[in-house]
PDB file of all heavy atoms in Angstrom:
ATOM      1  N   LYS A  45      27.185  15.834  38.101  1.00 90.00           N
ATOM      2  CA  LYS A  45      28.265  16.394  38.913  1.00 90.00           C
ATOM      3  C   LYS A  45      29.489  15.501  38.830  1.00 90.00           C
ATOM      4  O   LYS A  45      29.389  14.295  38.656  1.00 90.00           O
ATOM      5  CB  LYS A  45      27.832  16.519  40.372  1.00 90.00           C
ATOM      6  CG  LYS A  45      26.727  17.519  40.588  1.00 90.00           C
ATOM      7  CD  LYS A  45      26.351  17.599  42.046  1.00 90.00           C
ATOM      8  CE  LYS A  45      25.232  18.598  42.259  1.00 90.00           C
ATOM      9  NZ  LYS A  45      24.853  18.689  43.676  1.00 90.00           N
ATOM     10  N   SER A  46      30.659  16.127  38.969  1.00 90.00           N
ATOM     11  CA  SER A  46      31.892  15.343  38.950  1.00 90.00           C
ATOM     12  C   SER A  46      32.658  15.555  40.246  1.00 90.00           C
ATOM     13  O   SER A  46      32.481  16.551  40.939  1.00 90.00           O
ATOM     14  CB  SER A  46      32.768  15.717  37.757  1.00 90.00           C
ATOM     15  OG  SER A  46      33.274  17.017  37.891  1.00 90.00           O
ATOM     16  N   ALA A  47      33.503  14.578  40.555  1.00 90.00           N
ATOM     17  CA  ALA A  47      34.362  14.657  41.738  1.00 90.00           C
ATOM     18  C   ALA A  47      35.718  14.097  41.345  1.00 90.00           C
ATOM     19  O   ALA A  47      35.808  13.094  40.638  1.00 90.00           O
ATOM     20  CB  ALA A  47      33.769  13.867  42.888  1.00 90.00           C
ATOM     21  N   LYS A  48      36.786  14.766  41.795  1.00 93.00           N
ATOM     22  CA  LYS A  48      38.150  14.319  41.504  1.00 93.00           C
ATOM     23  C   LYS A  48      38.839  13.915  42.796  1.00 93.00           C
ATOM     24  O   LYS A  48      38.634  14.535  43.839  1.00 93.00           O
ATOM     25  CB  LYS A  48      38.956  15.424  40.826  1.00 93.00           C
ATOM     26  CG  LYS A  48      38.494  15.727  39.421  1.00 93.00           C
ATOM     27  CD  LYS A  48      39.372  16.790  38.781  1.00 93.00           C
ATOM     28  CE  LYS A  48      38.874  17.120  37.387  1.00 93.00           C
ATOM     29  NZ  LYS A  48      39.657  18.199  36.788  1.00 93.00           N
ATOM     30  N   PHE A  49      39.647  12.874  42.684  1.00 93.00           N
ATOM     31  CA  PHE A  49      40.422  12.366  43.807  1.00 93.00           C
ATOM     32  C   PHE A  49      41.843  12.141  43.331  1.00 93.00           C
ATOM     33  O   PHE A  49      42.061  11.633  42.238  1.00 93.00           O
ATOM     34  CB  PHE A  49      39.845  11.034  44.307  1.00 93.00           C
ATOM     35  CG  PHE A  49      38.397  11.116  44.682  1.00 93.00           C
ATOM     36  CD1 PHE A  49      37.413  10.825  43.757  1.00 93.00           C
ATOM     37  CD2 PHE A  49      38.021  11.498  45.962  1.00 93.00           C
ATOM     38  CE1 PHE A  49      36.069  10.897  44.098  1.00 93.00           C
ATOM     39  CE2 PHE A  49      36.692  11.572  46.312  1.00 93.00           C
ATOM     40  CZ  PHE A  49      35.710  11.271  45.381  1.00 93.00           C
ATOM     41  N   LYS A  50      42.815  12.497  44.167  1.00 94.00           N
ATOM     42  CA  LYS A  50      44.219  12.296  43.816  1.00 94.00           C
ATOM     43  C   LYS A  50      44.850  11.358  44.841  1.00 94.00           C
ATOM     44  O   LYS A  50      44.570  11.463  46.032  1.00 94.00           O
ATOM     45  CB  LYS A  50      44.955  13.630  43.795  1.00 94.00           C
ATOM     46  CG  LYS A  50      46.253  13.601  43.019  1.00 94.00           C
ATOM     47  CD  LYS A  50      46.762  15.007  42.748  1.00 94.00           C
ATOM     48  CE  LYS A  50      48.017  14.965  41.925  1.00 94.00           C
ATOM     49  NZ  LYS A  50      48.550  16.294  41.661  1.00 94.00           N
ATOM     50  N   THR A  51      45.693  10.451  44.355  1.00 94.00           N
ATOM     51  CA  THR A  51      46.363   9.501  45.231  1.00 94.00           C
ATOM     52  C   THR A  51      47.782   9.247  44.727  1.00 94.00           C
ATOM     53  O   THR A  51      48.032   9.353  43.527  1.00 94.00           O
ATOM     54  CB  THR A  51      45.593   8.165  45.318  1.00 94.00           C
ATOM     55  OG1 THR A  51      46.307   7.271  46.177  1.00 94.00           O
ATOM     56  CG2 THR A  51      45.416   7.524  43.957  1.00 94.00           C
ATOM     57  N   GLU A  52      48.674   8.949  45.635  1.00 95.00           N
ATOM     58  CA  GLU A  52      50.042   8.582  45.263  1.00 95.00           C
ATOM     59  C   GLU A  52      50.192   7.072  45.175  1.00 95.00           C
ATOM     60  O   GLU A  52      51.264   6.576  44.850  1.00 95.00           O
ATOM     61  CB  GLU A  52      51.030   9.173  46.270  1.00 95.00           C
ATOM     62  CG  GLU A  52      51.057  10.690  46.242  1.00 95.00           C
ATOM     63  CD  GLU A  52      51.998  11.285  47.274  1.00 95.00           C
ATOM     64  OE1 GLU A  52      52.593  10.535  48.071  1.00 95.00           O
ATOM     65  OE2 GLU A  52      52.129  12.520  47.286  1.00 95.00           O
ATOM     66  N   ASN A  53      49.128   6.349  45.475  1.00 94.00           N
ATOM     67  CA  ASN A  53      49.158   4.886  45.466  1.00 94.00           C
ATOM     68  C   ASN A  53      48.449   4.335  44.238  1.00 94.00           C
ATOM     69  O   ASN A  53      47.661   5.027  43.605  1.00 94.00           O
ATOM     70  CB  ASN A  53      48.465   4.354  46.726  1.00 94.00           C
ATOM     71  CG  ASN A  53      49.104   4.880  47.980  1.00 94.00           C
ATOM     72  OD1 ASN A  53      50.310   4.770  48.159  1.00 94.00           O
ATOM     73  ND2 ASN A  53      48.302   5.472  48.854  1.00 94.00           N
ATOM     74  N   THR A  54      48.690   3.060  43.958  1.00 94.00           N
ATOM     75  CA  THR A  54      47.991   2.410  42.852  1.00 94.00           C
ATOM     76  C   THR A  54      46.706   1.744  43.340  1.00 94.00           C
ATOM     77  O   THR A  54      46.079   0.994  42.596  1.00 94.00           O
ATOM     78  CB  THR A  54      48.892   1.375  42.148  1.00 94.00           C
ATOM     79  OG1 THR A  54      49.352   0.440  43.123  1.00 94.00           O
ATOM     80  CG2 THR A  54      50.053   2.044  41.448  1.00 94.00           C
ATOM     81  N   SER A  55      46.325   2.044  44.559  1.00 92.00           N
ATOM     82  CA  SER A  55      45.038   1.586  45.057  1.00 92.00           C
ATOM     83  C   SER A  55      44.286   2.799  45.598  1.00 92.00           C
ATOM     84  O   SER A  55      44.885   3.783  46.033  1.00 92.00           O
ATOM     85  CB  SER A  55      45.210   0.522  46.133  1.00 92.00           C
ATOM     86  OG  SER A  55      45.926   1.041  47.222  1.00 92.00           O
ATOM     87  N   TRP A  56      42.977   2.721  45.535  1.00 91.00           N
ATOM     88  CA  TRP A  56      42.129   3.831  45.963  1.00 91.00           C
ATOM     89  C   TRP A  56      40.889   3.253  46.606  1.00 91.00           C
ATOM     90  O   TRP A  56      40.315   2.278  46.116  1.00 91.00           O
ATOM     91  CB  TRP A  56      41.778   4.695  44.761  1.00 91.00           C
ATOM     92  CG  TRP A  56      40.860   5.828  45.052  1.00 91.00           C
ATOM     93  CD1 TRP A  56      41.202   7.061  45.528  1.00 91.00           C
ATOM     94  CD2 TRP A  56      39.440   5.855  44.884  1.00 91.00           C
ATOM     95  NE1 TRP A  56      40.085   7.845  45.672  1.00 91.00           N
ATOM     96  CE2 TRP A  56      38.990   7.124  45.276  1.00 91.00           C
ATOM     97  CE3 TRP A  56      38.511   4.921  44.454  1.00 91.00           C
ATOM     98  CZ2 TRP A  56      37.656   7.489  45.248  1.00 91.00           C
ATOM     99  CZ3 TRP A  56      37.175   5.279  44.420  1.00 91.00           C
ATOM    100  CH2 TRP A  56      36.750   6.555  44.817  1.00 91.00           C
ATOM    101  N   ARG A  57      40.450   3.856  47.696  1.00 91.00           N
ATOM    102  CA  ARG A  57      39.259   3.395  48.413  1.00 91.00           C
ATOM    103  C   ARG A  57      38.529   4.609  48.972  1.00 91.00           C
ATOM    104  O   ARG A  57      39.146   5.476  49.599  1.00 91.00           O
ATOM    105  CB  ARG A  57      39.668   2.464  49.545  1.00 91.00           C
ATOM    106  CG  ARG A  57      38.504   1.882  50.297  1.00 91.00           C
ATOM    107  CD  ARG A  57      39.017   0.872  51.337  1.00 91.00           C
ATOM    108  NE  ARG A  57      37.912   0.151  51.901  1.00 91.00           N
ATOM    109  CZ  ARG A  57      37.586   0.166  53.190  1.00 91.00           C
ATOM    110  NH1 ARG A  57      38.319   0.870  54.041  1.00 91.00           N
ATOM    111  NH2 ARG A  57      36.562  -0.527  53.623  1.00 91.00           N
ATOM    112  N   ALA A  58      37.228   4.659  48.727  1.00 90.00           N
ATOM    113  CA  ALA A  58      36.423   5.768  49.240  1.00 90.00           C
ATOM    114  C   ALA A  58      34.962   5.353  49.269  1.00 90.00           C
ATOM    115  O   ALA A  58      34.565   4.399  48.605  1.00 90.00           O
ATOM    116  CB  ALA A  58      36.599   7.010  48.389  1.00 90.00           C
ATOM    117  N   LYS A  59      34.170   6.090  50.025  1.00 89.00           N
ATOM    118  CA  LYS A  59      32.729   5.862  50.029  1.00 89.00           C
ATOM    119  C   LYS A  59      32.108   6.691  48.907  1.00 89.00           C
ATOM    120  O   LYS A  59      32.416   7.868  48.752  1.00 89.00           O
ATOM    121  CB  LYS A  59      32.122   6.253  51.366  1.00 89.00           C
ATOM    122  CG  LYS A  59      32.350   5.224  52.440  1.00 89.00           C
ATOM    123  CD  LYS A  59      31.508   5.513  53.648  1.00 89.00           C
ATOM    124  CE  LYS A  59      31.630   4.371  54.634  1.00 89.00           C
ATOM    125  NZ  LYS A  59      30.764   4.595  55.798  1.00 89.00           N
ATOM    126  N   VAL A  60      31.245   6.045  48.143  1.00 86.00           N
ATOM    127  CA  VAL A  60      30.596   6.680  46.997  1.00 86.00           C
ATOM    128  C   VAL A  60      29.099   6.421  47.098  1.00 86.00           C
ATOM    129  O   VAL A  60      28.676   5.313  47.438  1.00 86.00           O
ATOM    130  CB  VAL A  60      31.145   6.101  45.667  1.00 86.00           C
ATOM    131  CG1 VAL A  60      30.440   6.712  44.475  1.00 86.00           C
ATOM    132  CG2 VAL A  60      32.649   6.328  45.577  1.00 86.00           C
ATOM    133  N   LYS A  61      28.308   7.443  46.798  1.00 86.00           N
ATOM    134  CA  LYS A  61      26.858   7.264  46.814  1.00 86.00           C
ATOM    135  C   LYS A  61      26.454   6.296  45.702  1.00 86.00           C
ATOM    136  O   LYS A  61      26.993   6.358  44.593  1.00 86.00           O
ATOM    137  CB  LYS A  61      26.147   8.601  46.588  1.00 86.00           C
ATOM    138  CG  LYS A  61      26.263   9.549  47.750  1.00 86.00           C
ATOM    139  CD  LYS A  61      25.477  10.801  47.478  1.00 86.00           C
ATOM    140  CE  LYS A  61      25.586  11.774  48.642  1.00 86.00           C
ATOM    141  NZ  LYS A  61      24.788  12.975  48.413  1.00 86.00           N
ATOM    142  N   PRO A  62      25.499   5.416  45.961  1.00 87.00           N
ATOM    143  CA  PRO A  62      25.025   4.521  44.907  1.00 87.00           C
ATOM    144  C   PRO A  62      24.502   5.314  43.713  1.00 87.00           C
ATOM    145  O   PRO A  62      23.916   6.377  43.875  1.00 87.00           O
ATOM    146  CB  PRO A  62      23.897   3.744  45.588  1.00 87.00           C
ATOM    147  CG  PRO A  62      24.246   3.783  47.037  1.00 87.00           C
ATOM    148  CD  PRO A  62      24.862   5.141  47.242  1.00 87.00           C
ATOM    149  N   GLY A  63      24.762   4.826  42.542  1.00 87.00           N
ATOM    150  CA  GLY A  63      24.328   5.485  41.320  1.00 87.00           C
ATOM    151  C   GLY A  63      25.103   4.955  40.136  1.00 87.00           C
ATOM    152  O   GLY A  63      25.818   3.955  40.238  1.00 87.00           O
ATOM    153  N   ARG A  64      25.000   5.632  39.030  1.00 89.00           N
ATOM    154  CA  ARG A  64      25.737   5.265  37.821  1.00 89.00           C
ATOM    155  C   ARG A  64      26.792   6.332  37.552  1.00 89.00           C
ATOM    156  O   ARG A  64      26.490   7.519  37.575  1.00 89.00           O
ATOM    157  CB  ARG A  64      24.800   5.161  36.630  1.00 89.00           C
ATOM    158  CG  ARG A  64      23.844   4.015  36.760  1.00 89.00           C
ATOM    159  CD  ARG A  64      22.938   3.931  35.572  1.00 89.00           C
ATOM    160  NE  ARG A  64      22.027   2.827  35.786  1.00 89.00           N
ATOM    161  CZ  ARG A  64      21.620   2.028  34.837  1.00 89.00           C
ATOM    162  NH1 ARG A  64      22.019   2.224  33.603  1.00 89.00           N
ATOM    163  NH2 ARG A  64      20.797   1.043  35.102  1.00 89.00           N
ATOM    164  N   TYR A  65      28.019   5.869  37.325  1.00 90.00           N
ATOM    165  CA  TYR A  65      29.142   6.776  37.151  1.00 90.00           C
ATOM    166  C   TYR A  65      29.994   6.364  35.967  1.00 90.00           C
ATOM    167  O   TYR A  65      30.164   5.186  35.693  1.00 90.00           O
ATOM    168  CB  TYR A  65      30.057   6.750  38.393  1.00 90.00           C
ATOM    169  CG  TYR A  65      29.405   7.232  39.652  1.00 90.00           C
ATOM    170  CD1 TYR A  65      28.728   6.353  40.494  1.00 90.00           C
ATOM    171  CD2 TYR A  65      29.467   8.565  40.016  1.00 90.00           C
ATOM    172  CE1 TYR A  65      28.124   6.787  41.659  1.00 90.00           C
ATOM    173  CE2 TYR A  65      28.877   9.013  41.184  1.00 90.00           C
ATOM    174  CZ  TYR A  65      28.204   8.115  41.996  1.00 90.00           C
ATOM    175  OH  TYR A  65      27.612   8.560  43.148  1.00 90.00           O
ATOM    176  N   ASP A  66      30.536   7.345  35.280  1.00 91.00           N
ATOM    177  CA  ASP A  66      31.655   7.140  34.364  1.00 91.00           C
ATOM    178  C   ASP A  66      32.869   7.620  35.126  1.00 91.00           C
ATOM    179  O   ASP A  66      32.775   8.545  35.940  1.00 91.00           O
ATOM    180  CB  ASP A  66      31.507   7.973  33.087  1.00 91.00           C
ATOM    181  CG  ASP A  66      30.475   7.397  32.132  1.00 91.00           C
ATOM    182  OD1 ASP A  66      30.243   6.169  32.170  1.00 91.00           O
ATOM    183  OD2 ASP A  66      29.911   8.167  31.349  1.00 91.00           O
ATOM    184  N   PHE A  67      34.006   6.997  34.887  1.00 89.00           N
ATOM    185  CA  PHE A  67      35.204   7.535  35.505  1.00 89.00           C
ATOM    186  C   PHE A  67      36.375   7.405  34.561  1.00 89.00           C
ATOM    187  O   PHE A  67      36.368   6.626  33.627  1.00 89.00           O
ATOM    188  CB  PHE A  67      35.499   6.915  36.874  1.00 89.00           C
ATOM    189  CG  PHE A  67      36.054   5.520  36.850  1.00 89.00           C
ATOM    190  CD1 PHE A  67      37.427   5.318  36.852  1.00 89.00           C
ATOM    191  CD2 PHE A  67      35.229   4.422  36.845  1.00 89.00           C
ATOM    192  CE1 PHE A  67      37.958   4.047  36.858  1.00 89.00           C
ATOM    193  CE2 PHE A  67      35.744   3.141  36.842  1.00 89.00           C
ATOM    194  CZ  PHE A  67      37.108   2.952  36.847  1.00 89.00           C
ATOM    195  N   ARG A  68      37.355   8.273  34.821  1.00 93.00           N
ATOM    196  CA  ARG A  68      38.586   8.253  34.038  1.00 93.00           C
ATOM    197  C   ARG A  68      39.747   8.488  34.974  1.00 93.00           C
ATOM    198  O   ARG A  68      39.580   8.982  36.091  1.00 93.00           O
ATOM    199  CB  ARG A  68      38.530   9.268  32.903  1.00 93.00           C
ATOM    200  CG  ARG A  68      38.330  10.694  33.355  1.00 93.00           C
ATOM    201  CD  ARG A  68      38.085  11.600  32.175  1.00 93.00           C
ATOM    202  NE  ARG A  68      38.042  13.006  32.593  1.00 93.00           N
ATOM    203  CZ  ARG A  68      38.183  14.008  31.776  1.00 93.00           C
ATOM    204  NH1 ARG A  68      38.366  13.794  30.489  1.00 93.00           N
ATOM    205  NH2 ARG A  68      38.147  15.244  32.213  1.00 93.00           N
ATOM    206  N   ILE A  69      40.922   8.130  34.490  1.00 94.00           N
ATOM    207  CA  ILE A  69      42.124   8.172  35.311  1.00 94.00           C
ATOM    208  C   ILE A  69      43.259   8.790  34.501  1.00 94.00           C
ATOM    209  O   ILE A  69      43.327   8.607  33.284  1.00 94.00           O
ATOM    210  CB  ILE A  69      42.534   6.746  35.730  1.00 94.00           C
ATOM    211  CG1 ILE A  69      41.379   6.059  36.460  1.00 94.00           C
ATOM    212  CG2 ILE A  69      43.790   6.757  36.592  1.00 94.00           C
ATOM    213  CD1 ILE A  69      41.573   4.571  36.622  1.00 94.00           C
ATOM    214  N   ARG A  70      44.157   9.493  35.181  1.00 95.00           N
ATOM    215  CA  ARG A  70      45.386   9.969  34.549  1.00 95.00           C
ATOM    216  C   ARG A  70      46.503   9.927  35.579  1.00 95.00           C
ATOM    217  O   ARG A  70      46.262   9.926  36.790  1.00 95.00           O
ATOM    218  CB  ARG A  70      45.236  11.354  33.957  1.00 95.00           C
ATOM    219  CG  ARG A  70      45.014  12.465  34.957  1.00 95.00           C
ATOM    220  CD  ARG A  70      44.873  13.787  34.240  1.00 95.00           C
ATOM    221  NE  ARG A  70      44.503  14.866  35.152  1.00 95.00           N
ATOM    222  CZ  ARG A  70      44.343  16.104  34.766  1.00 95.00           C
ATOM    223  NH1 ARG A  70      44.513  16.429  33.498  1.00 95.00           N
ATOM    224  NH2 ARG A  70      44.013  17.028  35.625  1.00 95.00           N
ATOM    225  N   SER A  71      47.725   9.891  35.089  1.00 96.00           N
ATOM    226  CA  SER A  71      48.880   9.859  35.988  1.00 96.00           C
ATOM    227  C   SER A  71      49.609  11.189  35.923  1.00 96.00           C
ATOM    228  O   SER A  71      49.424  11.975  34.991  1.00 96.00           O
ATOM    229  CB  SER A  71      49.827   8.722  35.584  1.00 96.00           C
ATOM    230  OG  SER A  71      50.291   8.921  34.265  1.00 96.00           O
ATOM    231  N   PHE A  72      50.442  11.432  36.944  1.00 97.00           N
ATOM    232  CA  PHE A  72      51.287  12.623  37.012  1.00 97.00           C
ATOM    233  C   PHE A  72      52.725  12.169  37.079  1.00 97.00           C
ATOM    234  O   PHE A  72      53.052  11.225  37.802  1.00 97.00           O
ATOM    235  CB  PHE A  72      50.959  13.457  38.257  1.00 97.00           C
ATOM    236  CG  PHE A  72      49.654  14.189  38.170  1.00 97.00           C
ATOM    237  CD1 PHE A  72      48.462  13.527  38.374  1.00 97.00           C
ATOM    238  CD2 PHE A  72      49.625  15.539  37.879  1.00 97.00           C
ATOM    239  CE1 PHE A  72      47.249  14.194  38.297  1.00 97.00           C
ATOM    240  CE2 PHE A  72      48.423  16.218  37.796  1.00 97.00           C
ATOM    241  CZ  PHE A  72      47.228  15.542  38.000  1.00 97.00           C
ATOM    242  N   ASP A  73      53.607  12.858  36.349  1.00 96.00           N
ATOM    243  CA  ASP A  73      55.024  12.498  36.397  1.00 96.00           C
ATOM    244  C   ASP A  73      55.704  13.178  37.580  1.00 96.00           C
ATOM    245  O   ASP A  73      55.063  13.887  38.361  1.00 96.00           O
ATOM    246  CB  ASP A  73      55.725  12.809  35.065  1.00 96.00           C
ATOM    247  CG  ASP A  73      55.834  14.297  34.747  1.00 96.00           C
ATOM    248  OD1 ASP A  73      55.654  15.149  35.649  1.00 96.00           O
ATOM    249  OD2 ASP A  73      56.132  14.622  33.586  1.00 96.00           O
ATOM    250  N   GLY A  74      56.994  12.960  37.731  1.00 95.00           N
ATOM    251  CA  GLY A  74      57.765  13.497  38.845  1.00 95.00           C
ATOM    252  C   GLY A  74      57.768  15.010  38.943  1.00 95.00           C
ATOM    253  O   GLY A  74      58.029  15.574  40.000  1.00 95.00           O
ATOM    254  N   ARG A  75      57.477  15.689  37.831  1.00 96.00           N
ATOM    255  CA  ARG A  75      57.406  17.160  37.832  1.00 96.00           C
ATOM    256  C   ARG A  75      56.014  17.669  38.139  1.00 96.00           C
ATOM    257  O   ARG A  75      55.783  18.875  38.197  1.00 96.00           O
ATOM    258  CB  ARG A  75      57.851  17.704  36.470  1.00 96.00           C
ATOM    259  CG  ARG A  75      59.291  17.332  36.102  1.00 96.00           C
ATOM    260  CD  ARG A  75      59.591  17.675  34.656  1.00 96.00           C
ATOM    261  NE  ARG A  75      58.776  16.812  33.809  1.00 96.00           N
ATOM    262  CZ  ARG A  75      58.340  17.124  32.585  1.00 96.00           C
ATOM    263  NH1 ARG A  75      58.651  18.275  32.051  1.00 96.00           N
ATOM    264  NH2 ARG A  75      57.599  16.274  31.904  1.00 96.00           N
TER     265      ARG A  75
END
Side-chain angles (χ1 to χ4, degrees):
K45 294 180 180 180
S46 68
K48 291 182 182 177
F49 304 92
K50 199 166 183 181
T51 179
E52 294 178 357
N53 302 307
T54 56
S55 61
W56 177 84
R57 183 175 190 241
K59 282 192 173 183
V60 178
K61 289 183 180 182
R64 293 180 181 217
Y65 297 90
D66 285 333
F67 75 92
R68 59 188 186 162
I69 304 167
R70 66 180 173 179
S71 60
F72 287 78
D73 67 16
R75 299 170 294 152

